[in-house]
Amino acid sequence: MNHHPPSPVGRALTVVLGAVPFTVVTLLVFGGWPPLQQWDASVAARATTYGGTHPNVVDIWQVIGAVVLPWTSRAVIVIVAVFLWQRRARALTVWLLVSAGAELGLVQAAQYIFTRPHPAGALVDSGGWSYVSGHAAAAFVMAGALGVVLPSVRGWRRRFRLLVLLPVIAVVWIASVDRIALNVHYVSDVLGGWAL
């Protein structure tokens, strides 16, 4: 393992810097920043119009959404955690599982706190609240699991980093675009999920 734990100052700085993107996106969303509101409204209107005239495309996005459910991403994280545990990367395993659990808890908390309704004209039924997108957040954590944690295990760094990184970036994009294409989340909900 090429793993060096950060100092307490490094950990505190990581937490603070990690909270900044989510705080900024949240303030822009609920502060009513006009460019973001216009972007959200414009994309939602286009998704509703396009989906209303192309039901086959909506069906395809529904299938994609069923495949890239947040629970699918979390299952991949558990598989990676088992692999890391077998490789005796105990600290990374615990960190990964705690991160996945934190993502689930934070998404639920954010949706409960902000209670933002889903866009009007959603093309499919979606439970819960709109801000933040659980699909986007779970896919982003999975990308971290596969794109950052897994290659840090000895033997993966050089040979497999690109092989792992490109597909996980694609999954993050697909999971996020799916939510927007089905008009169940605003663009800012997806950005908030990534930032979270």
Side-chain angles (χ1 to χ4, degrees), residues 60-74 103 132-143 166-187 189-191 193-194:
I60 291 169
W61 280 114
Q62 279 187 285
V63 170
I64 291 170
V67 171
V68 294
L69 283 170
W71 291 106
T72 305
S73 296
R74 293 175 190 129
E103 172 267 321
V132 297
S133 169
H135 282 70
F140 209 88
V141 170
M142 185 206 56
L166 291 177
V168 297
I169 290 171
V171 168
V172 170
W173 277 102
I174 290 167
S176 301
V177 169
D178 169 72
R179 303 288 84 197
I180 296 166
L182 292 173
N183 201 28
V184 294
H185 286 294
Y186 294 105
V187 173
D189 298 331
V190 168
L191 296 176
W194 290 356

mmCIF file of all heavy atoms in Angstrom, residues 60-74 103 132-143 166-187 189-191 193-194:
data_model
loop_
_atom_site.group_PDB
_atom_site.id
_atom_site.type_symbol
_atom_site.label_atom_id
_atom_site.label_comp_id
_atom_site.label_asym_id
_atom_site.label_seq_id
_atom_site.Cartn_x
_atom_site.Cartn_y
_atom_site.Cartn_z
ATOM 1 N N ILE A 60 -36.106 4.290 -22.748
ATOM 2 C CA ILE A 60 -34.675 3.935 -22.699
ATOM 3 C C ILE A 60 -34.029 4.527 -21.453
ATOM 4 O O ILE A 60 -33.296 3.841 -20.740
ATOM 5 C CB ILE A 60 -33.957 4.399 -23.984
ATOM 6 C CG1 ILE A 60 -34.433 3.570 -25.174
ATOM 7 C CG2 ILE A 60 -32.442 4.303 -23.820
ATOM 8 C CD1 ILE A 60 -33.997 4.110 -26.530
ATOM 9 N N TRP A 61 -34.328 5.808 -21.165
ATOM 10 C CA TRP A 61 -33.743 6.445 -19.980
ATOM 11 C C TRP A 61 -34.256 5.793 -18.697
ATOM 12 O O TRP A 61 -33.527 5.709 -17.710
ATOM 13 C CB TRP A 61 -34.003 7.948 -19.970
ATOM 14 C CG TRP A 61 -33.056 8.703 -20.852
ATOM 15 C CD1 TRP A 61 -33.359 9.386 -21.986
ATOM 16 C CD2 TRP A 61 -31.641 8.822 -20.684
ATOM 17 N NE1 TRP A 61 -32.216 9.924 -22.537
ATOM 18 C CE2 TRP A 61 -31.145 9.599 -21.754
ATOM 19 C CE3 TRP A 61 -30.730 8.351 -19.743
ATOM 20 C CZ2 TRP A 61 -29.804 9.925 -21.902
ATOM 21 C CZ3 TRP A 61 -29.385 8.680 -19.892
ATOM 22 C CH2 TRP A 61 -28.936 9.449 -20.956
ATOM 23 N N GLN A 62 -35.502 5.315 -18.706
ATOM 24 C CA GLN A 62 -36.016 4.609 -17.532
ATOM 25 C C GLN A 62 -35.247 3.314 -17.280
ATOM 26 O O GLN A 62 -34.941 2.980 -16.130
ATOM 27 C CB GLN A 62 -37.503 4.296 -17.693
ATOM 28 C CG GLN A 62 -38.398 5.466 -17.371
ATOM 29 C CD GLN A 62 -39.853 5.043 -17.394
ATOM 30 O OE1 GLN A 62 -40.424 4.851 -18.448
ATOM 31 N NE2 GLN A 62 -40.426 4.900 -16.216
ATOM 32 N N VAL A 63 -34.935 2.600 -18.333
ATOM 33 C CA VAL A 63 -34.154 1.366 -18.194
ATOM 34 C C VAL A 63 -32.760 1.697 -17.669
ATOM 35 O O VAL A 63 -32.250 1.043 -16.752
ATOM 36 C CB VAL A 63 -34.075 0.600 -19.536
ATOM 37 C CG1 VAL A 63 -33.074 -0.543 -19.458
ATOM 38 C CG2 VAL A 63 -35.450 0.089 -19.933
ATOM 39 N N ILE A 64 -32.155 2.718 -18.246
ATOM 40 C CA ILE A 64 -30.825 3.139 -17.771
ATOM 41 C C ILE A 64 -30.889 3.523 -16.300
ATOM 42 O O ILE A 64 -30.035 3.139 -15.502
ATOM 43 C CB ILE A 64 -30.287 4.302 -18.637
ATOM 44 C CG1 ILE A 64 -29.964 3.791 -20.047
ATOM 45 C CG2 ILE A 64 -29.048 4.934 -17.995
ATOM 46 C CD1 ILE A 64 -29.658 4.888 -21.053
ATOM 47 N N GLY A 65 -31.930 4.274 -15.933
ATOM 48 C CA GLY A 65 -32.091 4.674 -14.538
ATOM 49 C C GLY A 65 -32.247 3.495 -13.604
ATOM 50 O O GLY A 65 -31.771 3.504 -12.470
ATOM 51 N N ALA A 66 -32.923 2.446 -14.077
ATOM 52 C CA ALA A 66 -33.090 1.240 -13.262
ATOM 53 C C ALA A 66 -31.759 0.521 -13.061
ATOM 54 O O ALA A 66 -31.515 -0.080 -12.013
ATOM 55 C CB ALA A 66 -34.104 0.308 -13.910
ATOM 56 N N VAL A 67 -30.888 0.595 -14.060
ATOM 57 C CA VAL A 67 -29.583 -0.073 -13.963
ATOM 58 C C VAL A 67 -28.635 0.709 -13.057
ATOM 59 O O VAL A 67 -27.888 0.123 -12.284
ATOM 60 C CB VAL A 67 -28.963 -0.256 -15.368
ATOM 61 C CG1 VAL A 67 -27.530 -0.748 -15.281
ATOM 62 C CG2 VAL A 67 -29.810 -1.200 -16.198
ATOM 63 N N VAL A 68 -28.665 2.032 -13.152
ATOM 64 C CA VAL A 68 -27.720 2.856 -12.384
ATOM 65 C C VAL A 68 -28.355 3.418 -11.116
ATOM 66 O O VAL A 68 -28.016 4.495 -10.663
ATOM 67 C CB VAL A 68 -27.113 3.993 -13.240
ATOM 68 C CG1 VAL A 68 -26.250 3.459 -14.339
ATOM 69 C CG2 VAL A 68 -28.199 4.918 -13.785
ATOM 70 N N LEU A 69 -29.276 2.653 -10.539
ATOM 71 C CA LEU A 69 -29.866 3.056 -9.262
ATOM 72 C C LEU A 69 -28.769 3.301 -8.231
ATOM 73 O O LEU A 69 -27.699 2.674 -8.296
ATOM 74 C CB LEU A 69 -30.773 1.940 -8.735
ATOM 75 C CG LEU A 69 -32.139 1.804 -9.378
ATOM 76 C CD1 LEU A 69 -32.794 0.508 -8.927
ATOM 77 C CD2 LEU A 69 -33.015 2.983 -9.025
ATOM 78 N N PRO A 70 -29.030 4.177 -7.269
ATOM 79 C CA PRO A 70 -28.024 4.376 -6.216
ATOM 80 C C PRO A 70 -27.622 3.075 -5.530
ATOM 81 O O PRO A 70 -26.466 2.901 -5.161
ATOM 82 C CB PRO A 70 -28.731 5.326 -5.240
ATOM 83 C CG PRO A 70 -29.683 6.090 -6.082
ATOM 84 C CD PRO A 70 -30.155 5.112 -7.132
ATOM 85 N N TRP A 71 -28.567 2.120 -5.393
ATOM 86 C CA TRP A 71 -28.224 0.873 -4.729
ATOM 87 C C TRP A 71 -27.262 0.036 -5.557
ATOM 88 O O TRP A 71 -26.483 -0.745 -5.004
ATOM 89 C CB TRP A 71 -29.482 0.083 -4.366
ATOM 90 C CG TRP A 71 -30.225 0.793 -3.277
ATOM 91 C CD1 TRP A 71 -31.385 1.498 -3.386
ATOM 92 C CD2 TRP A 71 -29.810 0.925 -1.914
ATOM 93 N NE1 TRP A 71 -31.722 2.045 -2.178
ATOM 94 C CE2 TRP A 71 -30.772 1.707 -1.249
ATOM 95 C CE3 TRP A 71 -28.716 0.455 -1.188
ATOM 96 C CZ2 TRP A 71 -30.683 2.030 0.107
ATOM 97 C CZ3 TRP A 71 -28.636 0.781 0.160
ATOM 98 C CH2 TRP A 71 -29.606 1.555 0.789
ATOM 99 N N THR A 72 -27.286 0.196 -6.870
ATOM 100 C CA THR A 72 -26.312 -0.505 -7.718
ATOM 101 C C THR A 72 -24.917 0.033 -7.430
ATOM 102 O O THR A 72 -23.960 -0.734 -7.271
ATOM 103 C CB THR A 72 -26.660 -0.316 -9.209
ATOM 104 O OG1 THR A 72 -28.005 -0.744 -9.431
ATOM 105 C CG2 THR A 72 -25.709 -1.089 -10.089
ATOM 106 N N SER A 73 -24.800 1.359 -7.354
ATOM 107 C CA SER A 73 -23.506 1.972 -7.031
ATOM 108 C C SER A 73 -23.025 1.529 -5.658
ATOM 109 O O SER A 73 -21.838 1.232 -5.467
ATOM 110 C CB SER A 73 -23.619 3.499 -7.074
ATOM 111 O OG SER A 73 -23.917 3.944 -8.372
ATOM 112 N N ARG A 74 -23.940 1.477 -4.715
ATOM 113 C CA ARG A 74 -23.554 1.063 -3.358
ATOM 114 C C ARG A 74 -23.131 -0.404 -3.322
ATOM 115 O O ARG A 74 -22.232 -0.774 -2.570
ATOM 116 C CB ARG A 74 -24.699 1.345 -2.391
ATOM 117 C CG ARG A 74 -24.927 2.843 -2.222
ATOM 118 C CD ARG A 74 -26.121 3.172 -1.375
ATOM 119 N NE ARG A 74 -26.396 4.597 -1.474
ATOM 120 C CZ ARG A 74 -27.581 5.107 -1.765
ATOM 121 N NH1 ARG A 74 -28.616 4.313 -1.977
ATOM 122 N NH2 ARG A 74 -27.737 6.409 -1.840
ATOM 123 N N GLU A 103 -22.686 9.057 2.509
ATOM 124 C CA GLU A 103 -23.398 9.546 1.306
ATOM 125 C C GLU A 103 -24.888 9.276 1.442
ATOM 126 O O GLU A 103 -25.708 10.169 1.215
ATOM 127 C CB GLU A 103 -22.839 8.852 0.054
ATOM 128 C CG GLU A 103 -23.611 9.128 -1.215
ATOM 129 C CD GLU A 103 -24.685 8.091 -1.505
ATOM 130 O OE1 GLU A 103 -24.446 6.892 -1.279
ATOM 131 O OE2 GLU A 103 -25.777 8.497 -1.961
ATOM 132 N N VAL A 132 -30.874 16.884 -2.899
ATOM 133 C CA VAL A 132 -29.929 16.623 -3.972
ATOM 134 C C VAL A 132 -30.280 15.314 -4.660
ATOM 135 O O VAL A 132 -31.021 14.508 -4.110
ATOM 136 C CB VAL A 132 -28.485 16.529 -3.437
ATOM 137 C CG1 VAL A 132 -28.031 17.828 -2.824
ATOM 138 C CG2 VAL A 132 -28.315 15.413 -2.414
ATOM 139 N N SER A 133 -29.692 15.109 -5.841
ATOM 140 C CA SER A 133 -29.913 13.870 -6.570
ATOM 141 C C SER A 133 -29.140 12.722 -5.910
ATOM 142 O O SER A 133 -27.910 12.742 -5.870
ATOM 143 C CB SER A 133 -29.466 14.020 -8.019
ATOM 144 O OG SER A 133 -29.434 12.762 -8.657
ATOM 145 N N GLY A 134 -29.882 11.738 -5.405
ATOM 146 C CA GLY A 134 -29.239 10.564 -4.807
ATOM 147 C C GLY A 134 -28.490 9.739 -5.833
ATOM 148 O O GLY A 134 -27.445 9.163 -5.538
ATOM 149 N N HIS A 135 -29.017 9.688 -7.076
ATOM 150 C CA HIS A 135 -28.327 8.959 -8.147
ATOM 151 C C HIS A 135 -26.948 9.576 -8.406
ATOM 152 O O HIS A 135 -25.946 8.871 -8.514
ATOM 153 C CB HIS A 135 -29.140 9.002 -9.444
ATOM 154 C CG HIS A 135 -30.284 8.050 -9.486
ATOM 155 N ND1 HIS A 135 -31.410 8.204 -8.706
ATOM 156 C CD2 HIS A 135 -30.488 6.937 -10.225
ATOM 157 C CE1 HIS A 135 -32.255 7.229 -8.962
ATOM 158 N NE2 HIS A 135 -31.725 6.427 -9.879
ATOM 159 N N ALA A 136 -26.922 10.908 -8.524
ATOM 160 C CA ALA A 136 -25.657 11.590 -8.823
ATOM 161 C C ALA A 136 -24.664 11.438 -7.675
ATOM 162 O O ALA A 136 -23.479 11.175 -7.898
ATOM 163 C CB ALA A 136 -25.918 13.075 -9.112
ATOM 164 N N ALA A 137 -25.146 11.579 -6.438
ATOM 165 C CA ALA A 137 -24.252 11.453 -5.286
ATOM 166 C C ALA A 137 -23.688 10.040 -5.170
ATOM 167 O O ALA A 137 -22.488 9.861 -4.959
ATOM 168 C CB ALA A 137 -24.998 11.840 -4.005
ATOM 169 N N ALA A 138 -24.549 9.035 -5.309
ATOM 170 C CA ALA A 138 -24.085 7.643 -5.192
ATOM 171 C C ALA A 138 -23.107 7.292 -6.306
ATOM 172 O O ALA A 138 -22.100 6.619 -6.065
ATOM 173 C CB ALA A 138 -25.273 6.688 -5.211
ATOM 174 N N ALA A 139 -23.379 7.759 -7.525
ATOM 175 C CA ALA A 139 -22.466 7.484 -8.637
ATOM 176 C C ALA A 139 -21.115 8.157 -8.406
ATOM 177 O O ALA A 139 -20.068 7.582 -8.725
ATOM 178 C CB ALA A 139 -23.083 7.963 -9.953
ATOM 179 N N PHE A 140 -21.130 9.348 -7.823
ATOM 180 C CA PHE A 140 -19.880 10.067 -7.572
ATOM 181 C C PHE A 140 -19.042 9.353 -6.511
ATOM 182 O O PHE A 140 -17.821 9.234 -6.652
ATOM 183 C CB PHE A 140 -20.190 11.506 -7.137
ATOM 184 C CG PHE A 140 -19.135 12.491 -7.501
ATOM 185 C CD1 PHE A 140 -19.156 13.120 -8.733
ATOM 186 C CD2 PHE A 140 -18.124 12.800 -6.618
ATOM 187 C CE1 PHE A 140 -18.182 14.031 -9.080
ATOM 188 C CE2 PHE A 140 -17.141 13.714 -6.950
ATOM 189 C CZ PHE A 140 -17.166 14.335 -8.191
ATOM 190 N N VAL A 141 -19.709 8.850 -5.460
ATOM 191 C CA VAL A 141 -18.980 8.092 -4.431
ATOM 192 C C VAL A 141 -18.422 6.807 -5.024
ATOM 193 O O VAL A 141 -17.288 6.418 -4.741
ATOM 194 C CB VAL A 141 -19.886 7.818 -3.212
ATOM 195 C CG1 VAL A 141 -19.229 6.830 -2.252
ATOM 196 C CG2 VAL A 141 -20.196 9.111 -2.486
ATOM 197 N N MET A 142 -19.216 6.152 -5.891
ATOM 198 C CA MET A 142 -18.721 4.943 -6.547
ATOM 199 C C MET A 142 -17.507 5.264 -7.419
ATOM 200 O O MET A 142 -16.541 4.510 -7.458
ATOM 201 C CB MET A 142 -19.804 4.290 -7.393
ATOM 202 C CG MET A 142 -19.357 2.971 -7.991
ATOM 203 S SD MET A 142 -20.196 2.525 -9.511
ATOM 204 C CE MET A 142 -19.889 3.911 -10.548
ATOM 205 N N ALA A 143 -17.559 6.396 -8.109
ATOM 206 C CA ALA A 143 -16.418 6.806 -8.931
ATOM 207 C C ALA A 143 -15.180 6.999 -8.064
ATOM 208 O O ALA A 143 -14.074 6.609 -8.446
ATOM 209 C CB ALA A 143 -16.744 8.094 -9.688
ATOM 210 N N LEU A 166 -11.997 5.820 -16.767
ATOM 211 C CA LEU A 166 -12.889 6.216 -17.865
ATOM 212 C C LEU A 166 -14.299 5.638 -17.724
ATOM 213 O O LEU A 166 -15.280 6.370 -17.854
ATOM 214 C CB LEU A 166 -12.273 5.854 -19.214
ATOM 215 C CG LEU A 166 -11.037 6.667 -19.597
ATOM 216 C CD1 LEU A 166 -10.470 6.186 -20.920
ATOM 217 C CD2 LEU A 166 -11.346 8.145 -19.650
ATOM 218 N N PRO A 167 -14.460 4.339 -17.436
ATOM 219 C CA PRO A 167 -15.821 3.823 -17.262
ATOM 220 C C PRO A 167 -16.561 4.438 -16.074
ATOM 221 O O PRO A 167 -17.758 4.687 -16.154
ATOM 222 C CB PRO A 167 -15.625 2.319 -17.061
ATOM 223 C CG PRO A 167 -14.303 2.013 -17.646
ATOM 224 C CD PRO A 167 -13.477 3.247 -17.458
ATOM 225 N N VAL A 168 -15.865 4.704 -14.959
ATOM 226 C CA VAL A 168 -16.584 5.262 -13.814
ATOM 227 C C VAL A 168 -17.004 6.704 -14.066
ATOM 228 O O VAL A 168 -18.074 7.122 -13.626
ATOM 229 C CB VAL A 168 -15.812 5.131 -12.483
ATOM 230 C CG1 VAL A 168 -15.608 3.688 -12.119
ATOM 231 C CG2 VAL A 168 -14.522 5.883 -12.479
ATOM 232 N N ILE A 169 -16.203 7.456 -14.808
ATOM 233 C CA ILE A 169 -16.619 8.813 -15.192
ATOM 234 C C ILE A 169 -17.844 8.723 -16.093
ATOM 235 O O ILE A 169 -18.798 9.497 -15.946
ATOM 236 C CB ILE A 169 -15.464 9.565 -15.872
ATOM 237 C CG1 ILE A 169 -14.380 9.903 -14.852
ATOM 238 C CG2 ILE A 169 -15.970 10.839 -16.552
ATOM 239 C CD1 ILE A 169 -13.108 10.458 -15.449
ATOM 240 N N ALA A 170 -17.852 7.771 -16.998
ATOM 241 C CA ALA A 170 -19.013 7.577 -17.880
ATOM 242 C C ALA A 170 -20.257 7.231 -17.066
ATOM 243 O O ALA A 170 -21.348 7.749 -17.339
ATOM 244 C CB ALA A 170 -18.718 6.483 -18.905
ATOM 245 N N VAL A 171 -20.125 6.394 -16.044
ATOM 246 C CA VAL A 171 -21.276 6.023 -15.219
ATOM 247 C C VAL A 171 -21.811 7.243 -14.466
ATOM 248 O O VAL A 171 -23.021 7.439 -14.366
ATOM 249 C CB VAL A 171 -20.917 4.878 -14.246
ATOM 250 C CG1 VAL A 171 -21.993 4.690 -13.190
ATOM 251 C CG2 VAL A 171 -20.695 3.592 -15.012
ATOM 252 N N VAL A 172 -20.919 8.088 -13.951
ATOM 253 C CA VAL A 172 -21.362 9.305 -13.257
ATOM 254 C C VAL A 172 -22.165 10.180 -14.209
ATOM 255 O O VAL A 172 -23.245 10.670 -13.873
ATOM 256 C CB VAL A 172 -20.164 10.077 -12.663
ATOM 257 C CG1 VAL A 172 -20.599 11.449 -12.165
ATOM 258 C CG2 VAL A 172 -19.516 9.286 -11.550
ATOM 259 N N TRP A 173 -21.659 10.374 -15.416
ATOM 260 C CA TRP A 173 -22.361 11.198 -16.408
ATOM 261 C C TRP A 173 -23.699 10.578 -16.796
ATOM 262 O O TRP A 173 -24.713 11.264 -16.871
ATOM 263 C CB TRP A 173 -21.492 11.398 -17.651
ATOM 264 C CG TRP A 173 -20.509 12.512 -17.460
ATOM 265 C CD1 TRP A 173 -19.187 12.389 -17.188
ATOM 266 C CD2 TRP A 173 -20.776 13.911 -17.501
ATOM 267 N NE1 TRP A 173 -18.603 13.623 -17.054
ATOM 268 C CE2 TRP A 173 -19.565 14.577 -17.256
ATOM 269 C CE3 TRP A 173 -21.919 14.666 -17.728
ATOM 270 C CZ2 TRP A 173 -19.472 15.969 -17.223
ATOM 271 C CZ3 TRP A 173 -21.825 16.051 -17.704
ATOM 272 C CH2 TRP A 173 -20.614 16.682 -17.448
ATOM 273 N N ILE A 174 -23.714 9.286 -17.038
ATOM 274 C CA ILE A 174 -24.952 8.618 -17.453
ATOM 275 C C ILE A 174 -25.998 8.686 -16.342
ATOM 276 O O ILE A 174 -27.165 9.003 -16.591
ATOM 277 C CB ILE A 174 -24.675 7.157 -17.874
ATOM 278 C CG1 ILE A 174 -23.892 7.143 -19.200
ATOM 279 C CG2 ILE A 174 -25.966 6.363 -18.004
ATOM 280 C CD1 ILE A 174 -23.303 5.786 -19.552
ATOM 281 N N ALA A 175 -25.601 8.392 -15.103
ATOM 282 C CA ALA A 175 -26.542 8.447 -13.979
ATOM 283 C C ALA A 175 -27.090 9.853 -13.799
ATOM 284 O O ALA A 175 -28.269 10.036 -13.478
ATOM 285 C CB ALA A 175 -25.856 7.982 -12.700
ATOM 286 N N SER A 176 -26.259 10.850 -14.033
ATOM 287 C CA SER A 176 -26.671 12.240 -13.855
ATOM 288 C C SER A 176 -27.555 12.725 -14.995
ATOM 289 O O SER A 176 -28.594 13.353 -14.765
ATOM 290 C CB SER A 176 -25.432 13.123 -13.732
ATOM 291 O OG SER A 176 -24.642 12.697 -12.637
ATOM 292 N N VAL A 177 -27.168 12.424 -16.227
ATOM 293 C CA VAL A 177 -27.962 12.841 -17.390
ATOM 294 C C VAL A 177 -29.329 12.154 -17.366
ATOM 295 O O VAL A 177 -30.340 12.760 -17.737
ATOM 296 C CB VAL A 177 -27.195 12.547 -18.703
ATOM 297 C CG1 VAL A 177 -28.094 12.711 -19.911
ATOM 298 C CG2 VAL A 177 -25.987 13.466 -18.814
ATOM 299 N N ASP A 178 -29.370 10.913 -16.909
ATOM 300 C CA ASP A 178 -30.631 10.185 -16.801
ATOM 301 C C ASP A 178 -31.635 10.957 -15.954
ATOM 302 O O ASP A 178 -32.802 11.090 -16.310
ATOM 303 C CB ASP A 178 -30.366 8.805 -16.190
ATOM 304 C CG ASP A 178 -31.636 8.096 -15.790
ATOM 305 O OD1 ASP A 178 -32.363 7.652 -16.694
ATOM 306 O OD2 ASP A 178 -31.905 7.992 -14.575
ATOM 307 N N ARG A 179 -31.196 11.470 -14.823
ATOM 308 C CA ARG A 179 -32.091 12.209 -13.926
ATOM 309 C C ARG A 179 -32.612 13.489 -14.585
ATOM 310 O O ARG A 179 -33.761 13.870 -14.406
ATOM 311 C CB ARG A 179 -31.374 12.578 -12.619
ATOM 312 C CG ARG A 179 -30.823 11.405 -11.866
ATOM 313 C CD ARG A 179 -31.907 10.559 -11.197
ATOM 314 N NE ARG A 179 -32.492 9.587 -12.117
ATOM 315 C CZ ARG A 179 -33.631 8.958 -11.929
ATOM 316 N NH1 ARG A 179 -34.358 9.179 -10.874
ATOM 317 N NH2 ARG A 179 -34.085 8.093 -12.804
ATOM 318 N N ILE A 180 -31.744 14.134 -15.364
ATOM 319 C CA ILE A 180 -32.135 15.377 -16.046
ATOM 320 C C ILE A 180 -33.016 15.071 -17.242
ATOM 321 O O ILE A 180 -34.029 15.741 -17.474
ATOM 322 C CB ILE A 180 -30.876 16.169 -16.460
ATOM 323 C CG1 ILE A 180 -30.107 16.609 -15.203
ATOM 324 C CG2 ILE A 180 -31.248 17.370 -17.315
ATOM 325 C CD1 ILE A 180 -28.703 17.105 -15.475
ATOM 326 N N ALA A 181 -32.671 14.044 -18.014
ATOM 327 C CA ALA A 181 -33.451 13.687 -19.205
ATOM 328 C C ALA A 181 -34.868 13.260 -18.848
ATOM 329 O O ALA A 181 -35.812 13.538 -19.588
ATOM 330 C CB ALA A 181 -32.745 12.578 -19.986
ATOM 331 N N LEU A 182 -35.033 12.606 -17.695
ATOM 332 C CA LEU A 182 -36.364 12.203 -17.249
ATOM 333 C C LEU A 182 -37.076 13.333 -16.503
ATOM 334 O O LEU A 182 -38.210 13.182 -16.075
ATOM 335 C CB LEU A 182 -36.284 10.960 -16.360
ATOM 336 C CG LEU A 182 -35.853 9.680 -17.080
ATOM 337 C CD1 LEU A 182 -35.644 8.548 -16.085
ATOM 338 C CD2 LEU A 182 -36.873 9.287 -18.141
ATOM 339 N N ASN A 183 -36.387 14.450 -16.345
ATOM 340 C CA ASN A 183 -36.919 15.646 -15.699
ATOM 341 C C ASN A 183 -37.399 15.372 -14.276
ATOM 342 O O ASN A 183 -38.383 15.932 -13.817
ATOM 343 C CB ASN A 183 -38.046 16.271 -16.538
ATOM 344 C CG ASN A 183 -38.254 17.740 -16.193
ATOM 345 O OD1 ASN A 183 -37.330 18.421 -15.775
ATOM 346 N ND2 ASN A 183 -39.465 18.220 -16.369
ATOM 347 N N VAL A 184 -36.682 14.517 -13.574
ATOM 348 C CA VAL A 184 -36.990 14.288 -12.165
ATOM 349 C C VAL A 184 -36.065 15.091 -11.252
ATOM 350 O O VAL A 184 -36.303 15.173 -10.049
ATOM 351 C CB VAL A 184 -36.953 12.784 -11.785
ATOM 352 C CG1 VAL A 184 -38.052 12.031 -12.489
ATOM 353 C CG2 VAL A 184 -35.608 12.169 -12.077
ATOM 354 N N HIS A 185 -35.012 15.658 -11.834
ATOM 355 C CA HIS A 185 -34.111 16.539 -11.093
ATOM 356 C C HIS A 185 -33.717 17.707 -11.975
ATOM 357 O O HIS A 185 -33.611 17.570 -13.194
ATOM 358 C CB HIS A 185 -32.833 15.807 -10.665
ATOM 359 C CG HIS A 185 -33.028 14.858 -9.531
ATOM 360 N ND1 HIS A 185 -33.370 15.274 -8.262
ATOM 361 C CD2 HIS A 185 -32.922 13.515 -9.469
ATOM 362 C CE1 HIS A 185 -33.473 14.218 -7.474
ATOM 363 N NE2 HIS A 185 -33.212 13.136 -8.188
ATOM 364 N N TYR A 186 -33.486 18.838 -11.321
ATOM 365 C CA TYR A 186 -32.900 19.988 -12.012
ATOM 366 C C TYR A 186 -31.399 19.750 -12.167
ATOM 367 O O TYR A 186 -30.811 18.926 -11.463
ATOM 368 C CB TYR A 186 -33.111 21.270 -11.201
ATOM 369 C CG TYR A 186 -34.542 21.695 -11.074
ATOM 370 C CD1 TYR A 186 -35.233 21.518 -9.875
ATOM 371 C CD2 TYR A 186 -35.213 22.293 -12.131
ATOM 372 C CE1 TYR A 186 -36.556 21.912 -9.742
ATOM 373 C CE2 TYR A 186 -36.530 22.699 -12.017
ATOM 374 C CZ TYR A 186 -37.205 22.507 -10.818
ATOM 375 O OH TYR A 186 -38.504 22.900 -10.690
ATOM 376 N N VAL A 187 -30.782 20.497 -13.058
ATOM 377 C CA VAL A 187 -29.322 20.416 -13.218
ATOM 378 C C VAL A 187 -28.652 20.727 -11.882
ATOM 379 O O VAL A 187 -27.689 20.066 -11.485
ATOM 380 C CB VAL A 187 -28.835 21.381 -14.320
ATOM 381 C CG1 VAL A 187 -27.320 21.421 -14.364
ATOM 382 C CG2 VAL A 187 -29.402 20.986 -15.678
ATOM 383 N N ASP A 189 -29.703 20.137 -8.946
ATOM 384 C CA ASP A 189 -29.816 18.992 -8.029
ATOM 385 C C ASP A 189 -28.676 18.004 -8.253
ATOM 386 O O ASP A 189 -28.136 17.432 -7.313
ATOM 387 C CB ASP A 189 -31.144 18.262 -8.236
ATOM 388 C CG ASP A 189 -32.356 19.136 -7.951
ATOM 389 O OD1 ASP A 189 -32.247 20.057 -7.124
ATOM 390 O OD2 ASP A 189 -33.407 18.889 -8.569
ATOM 391 N N VAL A 190 -28.341 17.816 -9.519
ATOM 392 C CA VAL A 190 -27.235 16.919 -9.880
ATOM 393 C C VAL A 190 -25.908 17.522 -9.406
ATOM 394 O O VAL A 190 -25.075 16.841 -8.819
ATOM 395 C CB VAL A 190 -27.223 16.641 -11.394
ATOM 396 C CG1 VAL A 190 -25.940 15.969 -11.817
ATOM 397 C CG2 VAL A 190 -28.429 15.791 -11.768
ATOM 398 N N LEU A 191 -25.724 18.817 -9.649
ATOM 399 C CA LEU A 191 -24.504 19.489 -9.183
ATOM 400 C C LEU A 191 -24.388 19.397 -7.671
ATOM 401 O O LEU A 191 -23.306 19.166 -7.123
ATOM 402 C CB LEU A 191 -24.483 20.957 -9.641
ATOM 403 C CG LEU A 191 -24.418 21.191 -11.150
ATOM 404 C CD1 LEU A 191 -24.504 22.689 -11.448
ATOM 405 C CD2 LEU A 191 -23.161 20.588 -11.750
ATOM 406 N N GLY A 193 -25.647 17.007 -5.823
ATOM 407 C CA GLY A 193 -25.302 15.613 -5.522
ATOM 408 C C GLY A 193 -23.818 15.353 -5.699
ATOM 409 O O GLY A 193 -23.188 14.690 -4.878
ATOM 410 N N TRP A 194 -23.260 15.899 -6.783
ATOM 411 C CA TRP A 194 -21.809 15.740 -6.989
ATOM 412 C C TRP A 194 -21.031 16.414 -5.868
ATOM 413 O O TRP A 194 -20.087 15.855 -5.343
ATOM 414 C CB TRP A 194 -21.386 16.358 -8.307
ATOM 415 C CG TRP A 194 -21.837 15.647 -9.535
ATOM 416 C CD1 TRP A 194 -22.519 14.472 -9.631
ATOM 417 C CD2 TRP A 194 -21.649 16.100 -10.878
ATOM 418 N NE1 TRP A 194 -22.754 14.158 -10.945
ATOM 419 C CE2 TRP A 194 -22.237 15.141 -11.727
ATOM 420 C CE3 TRP A 194 -21.065 17.213 -11.445
ATOM 421 C CZ2 TRP A 194 -22.229 15.257 -13.128
ATOM 422 C CZ3 TRP A 194 -21.051 17.341 -12.822
ATOM 423 C CH2 TRP A 194 -21.633 16.363 -13.650
#
